[in-house]
Amino acid sequence: MNVVTRIAPSPTGRMHIGTVRTALFNYLFAKKYNGSFLIRIEDTDRERSKQEWTDAIWEDFAWCGIQPDATYVQSQHLIRHRELLNELVRSDRAYISEEPAKDDPSRSVAVVRLRNRGSIVSFDDLIRGTVTFDTTELGDFVIARSIDDPLYHFAVVVDDHDAGVTHVLRAEEHISNTPRQILIIEALGFPRPLYGHMPLILAPDRSKLSKRKHAASIDVYRTQGFLPEALINYLALLGWNPGSDREFFTLDELAEAFTIENVQKSGAVFDREKLRWYNRHYLLAKTKEEFDREALAVLRESLAGRVVWDESIGCALVPLIKERISVWDDVRVQAADGEYDFFFTDPILDTTKIAGKTTPVIAKEHLAHVHEILSQRPHEQHESPEMIKQHIWTYAEEKGRGAVLWPFRYALSGRERSPDPFIIASIIGREATLRRIHAACMHLHAL
Ligand code: GLU
């Protein structure tokens, strides 16, 4: 069989990550069997569909690396839809029903209803097994608002058929639409595709992950600086397992490993921490050059308007950033919290905090001593944190680490939490280090 799958997003907003995952599973399934994967923009709801959302869908798929073999827009098929609606009416498998409009009963509309004999419909869902529905209570359901305006169920059936779709793999919420669509397929005399309904993506409280309540649209992750490789790898394992404990896959490796049998039935909880963990893995997998360049750009942009930028300090901060982040947005959040300002600008000190747990008199004595040790060192080009630590360590051990290192660190950063003083001193350099220790001493002196 020549496998053809599809994803059919409606352009009524930014794409939900559940849609991206469904697209991914369709893509992987098609690739696995050397078939084709299509993207169809379902813009039958003309009032809610917007061109800007369509554009965003293309952009988001391109960003993810999910490349379709063909794309089309549903509204281009209106003539074909009308033709088949007319055919159903002519053959009396559907009929035009004049009735009061739902939203305004004083107005009359001519909807198209399918003649439904009320049979039992069942299908073998690739994920859920046999699913059976009694269609009696659906009655003669509406398939078009008018002969020119098909409803979703009708348009989907026609478009899937015309595109040769063999496997309809879609979200679980569509399972109750399937019997209606099967009845339409039967009325049109089309062959039936195979169906598979994917498990829902759930929020940690096991409610449905929704765009209103949660960060659920793909652009949120994109703007936060998640990497597409990480998102794809994570989403693939959200509701599917490779049958082993392997965790890392490229898109091609996924296509090879993917099996519909290993897609689970029950909902899968979206775990942001796990996604962050994946993202960190892919961030660290970047070449040093690439990581350094991107980290520097994010840092520079995050500090704009906060500090006078110094390229060499920025570069010195990159290894620190590498240790501390899982996603680029972490840099922005840390920068907005002032966690990098003091590397560029002398901090404003709160005199009451300099001493930490020791007394101001002792703190001042230790700071003066640290100043002395460091100023006696020869002027070297650059001292690493380890070298600076070596100079101070014996003294700190002797006098009590907290009593020496807290005032030292606070003098340099002006913050209760920051990297250790050796790292800061190494990055800001000898001159700024000595100046800041001296300033802290002056504060204590003034007490
Ligand atoms: N347009 C529908 C949606 O966005 C998808 C329909 C389908 O997959 O059959 O949920």
Side-chain angles (χ1 to χ4, degrees), residues 4-50:
V4 181
T5 64
R6 53 46 161 201
I7 184 77
S10 307
T12 52
R14 282 311 279 250
M15 236 183 341
H16 191 285
I17 48 170
T19 309
V20 177
R21 191 202 48 176
T22 304
L24 175 64
F25 285 4
N26 274 282
Y27 172 88
L28 298 176
F29 188 78
K31 294 299 136 197
K32 166 123 191 162
Y33 295 103
N34 292 320
S36 316
F37 163 69
L38 318 176
I39 301 180
R40 174 174 75 232
I41 302 288
E42 289 206 329
D43 56 348
T44 34
D45 184 343
R46 284 178 236 163
E47 267 158 41
R48 289 175 60 224
S49 299
K50 289 212 178 87

Short mmCIF file of all heavy atoms in Angstrom, two decimals, residues 4-50:
data_model
loop_
_atom_site.label_atom_id
_atom_site.label_comp_id
_atom_site.label_asym_id
_atom_site.label_seq_id
_atom_site.Cartn_x
_atom_site.Cartn_y
_atom_site.Cartn_z
N VAL A 4 -0.40 7.24 2.63
CA VAL A 4 -0.54 8.71 2.59
C VAL A 4 -1.19 9.14 3.91
O VAL A 4 -2.27 8.67 4.27
CB VAL A 4 -1.41 9.18 1.39
CG1 VAL A 4 -1.52 10.70 1.38
CG2 VAL A 4 -0.85 8.68 0.07
N THR A 5 -0.50 10.02 4.62
CA THR A 5 -1.06 10.55 5.86
C THR A 5 -1.18 12.06 5.73
O THR A 5 -0.67 12.66 4.78
CB THR A 5 -0.15 10.23 7.06
OG1 THR A 5 1.10 10.90 6.87
CG2 THR A 5 0.08 8.75 7.22
N ARG A 6 -1.83 12.66 6.71
CA ARG A 6 -2.00 14.11 6.63
C ARG A 6 -2.22 14.72 8.01
O ARG A 6 -2.61 14.03 8.96
CB ARG A 6 -3.15 14.47 5.69
CG ARG A 6 -4.52 13.84 5.90
CD ARG A 6 -5.05 13.82 7.26
NE ARG A 6 -6.47 13.63 7.37
CZ ARG A 6 -7.16 13.99 8.46
NH1 ARG A 6 -6.56 14.51 9.51
NH2 ARG A 6 -8.45 13.79 8.50
N ILE A 7 -1.95 16.00 8.11
CA ILE A 7 -2.38 16.76 9.27
C ILE A 7 -3.24 17.87 8.70
O ILE A 7 -2.97 18.39 7.61
CB ILE A 7 -1.20 17.33 10.09
CG1 ILE A 7 -1.66 18.05 11.35
CG2 ILE A 7 -0.35 18.30 9.27
CD1 ILE A 7 -2.05 17.15 12.46
N ALA A 8 -4.30 18.22 9.44
CA ALA A 8 -5.27 19.17 8.87
C ALA A 8 -5.55 20.30 9.85
O ALA A 8 -6.65 20.39 10.39
CB ALA A 8 -6.53 18.42 8.50
N PRO A 9 -4.57 21.15 10.10
CA PRO A 9 -4.81 22.22 11.08
C PRO A 9 -5.78 23.28 10.58
O PRO A 9 -5.81 23.60 9.39
CB PRO A 9 -3.42 22.82 11.31
CG PRO A 9 -2.63 22.47 10.10
CD PRO A 9 -3.21 21.21 9.54
N SER A 10 -6.57 23.80 11.50
CA SER A 10 -7.46 24.92 11.16
C SER A 10 -6.73 26.22 11.49
O SER A 10 -6.20 26.34 12.58
CB SER A 10 -8.74 24.83 12.00
OG SER A 10 -9.30 23.56 11.87
N PRO A 11 -6.72 27.17 10.58
CA PRO A 11 -5.96 28.41 10.82
C PRO A 11 -6.74 29.40 11.67
O PRO A 11 -7.09 30.49 11.22
CB PRO A 11 -5.70 28.94 9.41
CG PRO A 11 -6.87 28.45 8.62
CD PRO A 11 -7.31 27.15 9.23
N THR A 12 -7.04 28.99 12.91
CA THR A 12 -7.84 29.86 13.77
C THR A 12 -7.02 30.34 14.97
O THR A 12 -7.57 30.87 15.92
CB THR A 12 -9.09 29.10 14.27
OG1 THR A 12 -8.65 27.86 14.83
CG2 THR A 12 -10.06 28.81 13.14
N GLY A 13 -5.71 30.14 14.93
CA GLY A 13 -4.85 30.58 16.02
C GLY A 13 -3.49 29.93 15.86
O GLY A 13 -3.28 29.19 14.90
N ARG A 14 -2.58 30.20 16.79
CA ARG A 14 -1.26 29.56 16.71
C ARG A 14 -1.44 28.08 16.99
O ARG A 14 -2.35 27.67 17.71
CB ARG A 14 -0.31 30.17 17.75
CG ARG A 14 0.28 31.51 17.35
CD ARG A 14 0.86 31.56 15.97
NE ARG A 14 2.20 31.02 15.87
CZ ARG A 14 3.30 31.73 15.65
NH1 ARG A 14 3.24 33.04 15.51
NH2 ARG A 14 4.47 31.13 15.54
N MET A 15 -0.56 27.29 16.42
CA MET A 15 -0.70 25.85 16.53
C MET A 15 -0.46 25.32 17.94
O MET A 15 0.51 25.70 18.60
CB MET A 15 0.27 25.19 15.57
CG MET A 15 -0.46 24.29 14.67
SD MET A 15 0.51 23.35 13.52
CE MET A 15 2.06 24.08 13.36
N HIS A 16 -1.34 24.45 18.36
CA HIS A 16 -1.21 23.76 19.66
C HIS A 16 -0.08 22.73 19.52
O HIS A 16 0.06 22.12 18.46
CB HIS A 16 -2.55 23.07 19.93
CG HIS A 16 -2.71 22.54 21.31
ND1 HIS A 16 -2.06 21.40 21.75
CD2 HIS A 16 -3.44 22.98 22.36
CE1 HIS A 16 -2.40 21.17 23.02
NE2 HIS A 16 -3.24 22.11 23.41
N ILE A 17 0.66 22.49 20.60
CA ILE A 17 1.72 21.50 20.46
C ILE A 17 1.16 20.09 20.24
O ILE A 17 1.85 19.24 19.69
CB ILE A 17 2.72 21.49 21.64
CG1 ILE A 17 2.00 21.47 22.95
CG2 ILE A 17 3.68 22.63 21.57
CD1 ILE A 17 2.94 21.23 24.08
N GLY A 18 -0.10 19.90 20.62
CA GLY A 18 -0.74 18.61 20.33
C GLY A 18 -0.86 18.42 18.82
O GLY A 18 -0.69 17.30 18.31
N THR A 19 -1.14 19.50 18.11
CA THR A 19 -1.23 19.40 16.64
C THR A 19 0.15 19.08 16.07
O THR A 19 0.28 18.29 15.13
CB THR A 19 -1.75 20.73 16.05
OG1 THR A 19 -2.93 21.09 16.75
CG2 THR A 19 -2.02 20.62 14.56
N VAL A 20 1.17 19.68 16.66
CA VAL A 20 2.53 19.41 16.18
C VAL A 20 2.86 17.93 16.41
O VAL A 20 3.43 17.27 15.54
CB VAL A 20 3.56 20.32 16.89
CG1 VAL A 20 4.97 19.99 16.44
CG2 VAL A 20 3.24 21.78 16.64
N ARG A 21 2.47 17.42 17.58
CA ARG A 21 2.77 16.00 17.84
C ARG A 21 1.98 15.10 16.89
O ARG A 21 2.52 14.12 16.35
CB ARG A 21 2.46 15.62 19.28
CG ARG A 21 3.03 14.24 19.58
CD ARG A 21 2.38 13.59 20.74
NE ARG A 21 0.93 13.66 20.62
CZ ARG A 21 0.10 13.09 21.48
NH1 ARG A 21 0.59 12.46 22.53
NH2 ARG A 21 -1.19 13.18 21.32
N THR A 22 0.71 15.43 16.64
CA THR A 22 -0.07 14.62 15.70
C THR A 22 0.57 14.67 14.31
O THR A 22 0.69 13.66 13.62
CB THR A 22 -1.52 15.12 15.63
OG1 THR A 22 -2.05 15.10 16.96
CG2 THR A 22 -2.38 14.27 14.75
N ALA A 23 1.01 15.87 13.93
CA ALA A 23 1.68 16.02 12.63
C ALA A 23 2.94 15.15 12.61
O ALA A 23 3.21 14.45 11.63
CB ALA A 23 2.05 17.47 12.40
N LEU A 24 3.67 15.19 13.70
CA LEU A 24 4.91 14.42 13.78
C LEU A 24 4.64 12.93 13.61
O LEU A 24 5.32 12.25 12.83
CB LEU A 24 5.58 14.70 15.14
CG LEU A 24 6.83 13.90 15.46
CD1 LEU A 24 7.95 14.24 14.48
CD2 LEU A 24 7.30 14.17 16.89
N PHE A 25 3.63 12.41 14.31
CA PHE A 25 3.34 10.98 14.20
C PHE A 25 2.91 10.62 12.77
O PHE A 25 3.28 9.58 12.24
CB PHE A 25 2.25 10.57 15.21
CG PHE A 25 2.75 10.49 16.65
CD1 PHE A 25 4.05 10.86 16.98
CD2 PHE A 25 1.93 10.05 17.67
CE1 PHE A 25 4.52 10.79 18.30
CE2 PHE A 25 2.39 9.97 18.99
CZ PHE A 25 3.67 10.35 19.30
N ASN A 26 2.14 11.51 12.16
CA ASN A 26 1.74 11.27 10.76
C ASN A 26 2.95 11.28 9.84
O ASN A 26 3.07 10.46 8.94
CB ASN A 26 0.75 12.34 10.30
CG ASN A 26 -0.68 11.99 10.68
OD1 ASN A 26 -1.30 11.17 10.02
ND2 ASN A 26 -1.19 12.60 11.73
N TYR A 27 3.83 12.23 10.09
CA TYR A 27 5.05 12.36 9.28
C TYR A 27 5.91 11.10 9.44
O TYR A 27 6.36 10.50 8.46
CB TYR A 27 5.81 13.61 9.76
CG TYR A 27 7.19 13.78 9.18
CD1 TYR A 27 7.39 14.46 7.98
CD2 TYR A 27 8.31 13.27 9.84
CE1 TYR A 27 8.65 14.62 7.46
CE2 TYR A 27 9.59 13.43 9.33
CZ TYR A 27 9.75 14.10 8.14
OH TYR A 27 11.01 14.26 7.62
N LEU A 28 6.10 10.68 10.70
CA LEU A 28 6.96 9.51 10.97
C LEU A 28 6.37 8.25 10.35
O LEU A 28 7.08 7.44 9.76
CB LEU A 28 7.14 9.31 12.48
CG LEU A 28 7.83 10.46 13.22
CD1 LEU A 28 7.86 10.19 14.73
CD2 LEU A 28 9.24 10.69 12.70
N PHE A 29 5.06 8.12 10.48
CA PHE A 29 4.39 6.94 9.94
C PHE A 29 4.57 6.89 8.42
O PHE A 29 4.92 5.85 7.85
CB PHE A 29 2.91 6.97 10.32
CG PHE A 29 2.18 5.72 9.98
CD1 PHE A 29 2.30 4.58 10.78
CD2 PHE A 29 1.35 5.66 8.87
CE1 PHE A 29 1.63 3.41 10.46
CE2 PHE A 29 0.67 4.49 8.55
CZ PHE A 29 0.80 3.36 9.35
N ALA A 30 4.37 8.03 7.78
CA ALA A 30 4.52 8.08 6.32
C ALA A 30 5.96 7.77 5.92
O ALA A 30 6.22 6.98 5.00
CB ALA A 30 4.10 9.45 5.78
N LYS A 31 6.93 8.38 6.63
CA LYS A 31 8.34 8.17 6.27
C LYS A 31 8.74 6.72 6.45
O LYS A 31 9.47 6.15 5.67
CB LYS A 31 9.27 9.05 7.11
CG LYS A 31 9.11 10.53 6.87
CD LYS A 31 9.41 10.92 5.44
CE LYS A 31 8.36 11.88 4.94
NZ LYS A 31 8.27 12.06 3.52
N LYS A 32 8.24 6.14 7.54
CA LYS A 32 8.58 4.74 7.85
C LYS A 32 8.21 3.83 6.68
O LYS A 32 8.92 2.89 6.36
CB LYS A 32 7.82 4.34 9.11
CG LYS A 32 7.78 2.89 9.37
CD LYS A 32 8.34 2.59 10.73
CE LYS A 32 8.56 1.10 10.85
NZ LYS A 32 9.44 0.77 11.92
N TYR A 33 7.07 4.13 6.04
CA TYR A 33 6.62 3.28 4.94
C TYR A 33 6.87 3.89 3.57
O TYR A 33 6.20 3.55 2.60
CB TYR A 33 5.13 2.95 5.13
CG TYR A 33 4.90 2.12 6.38
CD1 TYR A 33 4.40 2.69 7.53
CD2 TYR A 33 5.27 0.77 6.40
CE1 TYR A 33 4.24 1.95 8.69
CE2 TYR A 33 5.11 0.02 7.56
CZ TYR A 33 4.60 0.61 8.70
OH TYR A 33 4.46 -0.14 9.84
N ASN A 34 7.83 4.82 3.53
CA ASN A 34 8.15 5.51 2.26
C ASN A 34 6.92 6.11 1.60
O ASN A 34 6.79 6.08 0.37
CB ASN A 34 8.79 4.54 1.26
CG ASN A 34 10.16 4.13 1.74
OD1 ASN A 34 10.90 5.00 2.25
ND2 ASN A 34 10.49 2.87 1.63
N GLY A 35 6.00 6.58 2.42
CA GLY A 35 4.78 7.17 1.86
C GLY A 35 4.87 8.68 1.82
O GLY A 35 5.97 9.25 1.88
N SER A 36 3.73 9.34 1.73
CA SER A 36 3.71 10.80 1.67
C SER A 36 2.93 11.36 2.85
O SER A 36 1.97 10.74 3.33
CB SER A 36 3.00 11.30 0.41
OG SER A 36 3.40 10.56 -0.69
N PHE A 37 3.36 12.53 3.24
CA PHE A 37 2.71 13.23 4.34
C PHE A 37 2.22 14.58 3.81
O PHE A 37 2.98 15.33 3.20
CB PHE A 37 3.70 13.40 5.49
CG PHE A 37 3.29 14.44 6.49
CD1 PHE A 37 2.20 14.22 7.33
CD2 PHE A 37 3.99 15.64 6.59
CE1 PHE A 37 1.81 15.19 8.24
CE2 PHE A 37 3.60 16.61 7.51
CZ PHE A 37 2.52 16.38 8.34
N LEU A 38 0.95 14.88 4.01
CA LEU A 38 0.37 16.11 3.47
C LEU A 38 -0.03 17.07 4.59
O LEU A 38 -0.41 16.63 5.67
CB LEU A 38 -0.91 15.80 2.69
CG LEU A 38 -0.93 14.58 1.77
CD1 LEU A 38 -2.32 14.41 1.18
CD2 LEU A 38 0.10 14.78 0.67
N ILE A 39 0.03 18.34 4.28
CA ILE A 39 -0.55 19.31 5.20
C ILE A 39 -1.70 20.00 4.48
O ILE A 39 -1.53 20.52 3.37
CB ILE A 39 0.48 20.38 5.64
CG1 ILE A 39 1.68 19.71 6.34
CG2 ILE A 39 -0.19 21.40 6.60
CD1 ILE A 39 2.75 20.69 6.80
N ARG A 40 -2.86 19.95 5.12
CA ARG A 40 -4.03 20.61 4.54
C ARG A 40 -4.51 21.67 5.52
O ARG A 40 -4.77 21.37 6.68
CB ARG A 40 -5.13 19.57 4.32
CG ARG A 40 -6.44 20.18 3.86
CD ARG A 40 -7.46 19.13 3.51
NE ARG A 40 -8.05 18.48 4.64
CZ ARG A 40 -8.12 17.16 4.83
NH1 ARG A 40 -7.60 16.33 3.93
NH2 ARG A 40 -8.68 16.64 5.90
N ILE A 41 -4.61 22.88 5.05
CA ILE A 41 -5.12 23.95 5.91
C ILE A 41 -6.64 23.91 5.82
O ILE A 41 -7.21 24.07 4.73
CB ILE A 41 -4.61 25.34 5.41
CG1 ILE A 41 -3.08 25.38 5.39
CG2 ILE A 41 -5.20 26.46 6.25
CD1 ILE A 41 -2.41 25.44 6.72
N GLU A 42 -7.28 23.66 6.96
CA GLU A 42 -8.74 23.52 6.94
C GLU A 42 -9.41 24.84 7.28
O GLU A 42 -9.67 25.16 8.44
CB GLU A 42 -9.17 22.44 7.94
CG GLU A 42 -8.76 21.10 7.40
CD GLU A 42 -9.58 19.94 7.89
OE1 GLU A 42 -10.09 19.98 9.02
OE2 GLU A 42 -9.69 18.99 7.12
N ASP A 43 -9.68 25.59 6.22
CA ASP A 43 -10.25 26.93 6.42
C ASP A 43 -11.73 26.99 6.05
O ASP A 43 -12.22 28.00 5.56
CB ASP A 43 -9.44 27.95 5.60
CG ASP A 43 -9.39 27.59 4.12
OD1 ASP A 43 -9.78 26.45 3.77
OD2 ASP A 43 -8.97 28.43 3.31
N THR A 44 -12.43 25.87 6.30
CA THR A 44 -13.86 25.89 5.96
C THR A 44 -14.64 26.86 6.85
O THR A 44 -15.66 27.40 6.44
CB THR A 44 -14.51 24.48 6.11
OG1 THR A 44 -13.87 23.82 7.17
CG2 THR A 44 -14.43 23.70 4.83
N ASP A 45 -14.15 27.07 8.07
CA ASP A 45 -14.81 28.03 8.96
C ASP A 45 -14.28 29.42 8.56
O ASP A 45 -13.28 29.90 9.08
CB ASP A 45 -14.45 27.69 10.41
CG ASP A 45 -15.18 28.59 11.39
OD1 ASP A 45 -15.69 29.65 10.96
OD2 ASP A 45 -15.24 28.23 12.58
N ARG A 46 -14.98 30.03 7.62
CA ARG A 46 -14.44 31.24 6.99
C ARG A 46 -14.33 32.41 7.95
O ARG A 46 -13.48 33.26 7.81
CB ARG A 46 -15.26 31.63 5.77
CG ARG A 46 -14.96 30.73 4.59
CD ARG A 46 -15.78 31.06 3.38
NE ARG A 46 -16.52 29.89 2.94
CZ ARG A 46 -17.55 29.93 2.13
NH1 ARG A 46 -18.03 31.08 1.68
NH2 ARG A 46 -18.15 28.82 1.75
N GLU A 47 -15.25 32.44 8.92
CA GLU A 47 -15.20 33.58 9.84
C GLU A 47 -14.00 33.54 10.77
O GLU A 47 -13.39 34.55 11.07
CB GLU A 47 -16.48 33.62 10.69
CG GLU A 47 -17.53 34.50 10.06
CD GLU A 47 -18.90 34.15 10.55
OE1 GLU A 47 -19.06 33.90 11.75
OE2 GLU A 47 -19.82 34.12 9.69
N ARG A 48 -13.64 32.34 11.22
CA ARG A 48 -12.57 32.24 12.21
C ARG A 48 -11.19 32.04 11.57
O ARG A 48 -10.17 32.21 12.23
CB ARG A 48 -12.86 31.11 13.19
CG ARG A 48 -14.03 31.47 14.13
CD ARG A 48 -14.40 30.32 15.03
NE ARG A 48 -13.29 29.90 15.87
CZ ARG A 48 -12.95 28.63 16.09
NH1 ARG A 48 -13.63 27.66 15.54
NH2 ARG A 48 -11.96 28.33 16.88
N SER A 49 -11.16 31.68 10.29
CA SER A 49 -9.87 31.42 9.66
C SER A 49 -9.22 32.72 9.22
O SER A 49 -9.89 33.60 8.69
CB SER A 49 -10.07 30.52 8.44
OG SER A 49 -10.62 29.29 8.85
N LYS A 50 -7.91 32.83 9.43
CA LYS A 50 -7.21 34.05 9.01
C LYS A 50 -5.92 33.68 8.28
O LYS A 50 -5.23 32.72 8.64
CB LYS A 50 -6.82 34.88 10.24
CG LYS A 50 -7.98 35.54 10.94
CD LYS A 50 -7.50 36.88 11.56
CE LYS A 50 -8.63 37.61 12.23
NZ LYS A 50 -8.82 37.21 13.62
#
